[in-house]
Amino acid sequence: MIAGTLVTAPVLMVYTAMGIAFGVLSIQAGLSAVNTVAMSLFVYAGTAQLAGIQLLAMGVPPLSIVITTIVINSRFLVMASALAPLVARFPAWQRFLYGLEITDATFALHIGRYGRLPMRKIEAFTTNIVGHIVWVGATVAGVVIGEKVTDVERFGLDFGMPAMFIAILVPLIRSRVHVIVAMAGGAALLFYRYLGFSYWAILAATATAVLAGIATEQWTRRQPS
Amino acid sequence: MDQTSTFLTILAMGAVSMAIKLAPVVFLPGRQLPRWLDVSLRHLPVAVLSAMTVQLLAVVDGEIDLRLANLALWAAIPTVICATLTRSLFWTIAFGMTLVVALRWAFG
């Protein structure tokens, strides 16, 4: 339990920063305190929540908001598929509980930490549950300070998430194929964004990068080196 | 929209989010995956993480922003070096956030 919390400490730092930022922005967008906290409790996905408060503030019809949520969160289908082998030996109800708590951060942390090794169950669940509690707690803090603080960027809160992704991505890159996949992912994201893809850009870029990886493997296998 | 309708919308957002996260971990294990999917899964973590990192850094308010004024984007370069040298989640995040605050204070 303690090990799980310690491993998660940097992630909790990011959750705290992002949760506060979300709380502040949500109150400023006109959501009530209860709805702001409900969003962190039930939706539990930063990007979808940030988009959600903007759409709710704009008075977009609920069905459109739910569809946008599906599109934004479709990347979790990809992430959860990559996590599935790590939890394959868990009983179904534990996989269910594990699935509920998947976020960008826990995905990155668990893929980085467990890789092809068996997952340490208690550690993983502690990460998930403590993470969710801190996310909701930080949202409450953001709600409380939402009327006083207006500029979340001044405190670097928005850089917590990309910094964490960088910290987890760098050690995952262990071969030339990985370098190509990473560069293709970044370049493809810009390309699809440039073409006007909005929320689909991440999925399209991921697919492109995966194809680039497979193609590179095929090609290097054929080259006698 | 009043706060009650907002709450119901949030519940619906939560339901679809949970379903998307749950489905693969509940239903995929124990199934023989097609070979293309199995091969793809090996590249997925690096692919999706790099795409999301670039999105967070280079897309501001829905637009690509590669200007010098996008300080977070340029702060990412020293942050990558820090991650390479320290291999530490904690120090990379602490360094990155401090750097961004300092850059925005100096040039923002």
Side-chain angles (χ1 to χ4, degrees), chain B residues 1 18 26-27 30 36 44 47-48 56 65 79 81 88 93 104:
Chain B
M1 205 187 306
M18 286 174 189
V26 172
F27 298 113
W36 64 268
L44 268 183
V48 72
L56 287 170
D65 184 356
T79 306
I81 296 170
S88 153
I93 296 169
R104 282 177 184 157

Side-chain angles (χ1 to χ4, degrees), chain A residues 13 30 32 35 42 44 69 73 75 78 95-96 99 102 153 155 158-159 165 171 182 186 189-190 193 217, chain B residues 3 7 10 17-18 20-22 25-26 42-44 50-51 53-55 64 72 87 93 96 100-101 104:
Chain A
M13 214 159 69
S32 69
N35 280 336
F42 298 119
Y44 193 33
T69 306
N73 281 342
R75 69 176 186 285
V78 171
R95 296 206 302 272
F96 182 90
I102 293 174
E153 292 188 355
F155 300 97
D158 56 319
F159 198 69
F165 281 166
L189 188 279
L190 290 179
R193 274 280 172 179
E217 277 182 340
Chain B
Q3 296 291 351
F7 183 73
I10 290 170
S17 302
M18 286 174 189
I20 291 170
K21 293 175 182 181
L22 277 175
V25 286
V26 172
R42 275 190 290 128
H43 295 300
L44 268 183
S50 60
T53 307
V54 171
Q55 157 125 333
I64 297 175
R87 304 254 149 181
I93 296 169
V100 164
V101 171
R104 282 177 184 157

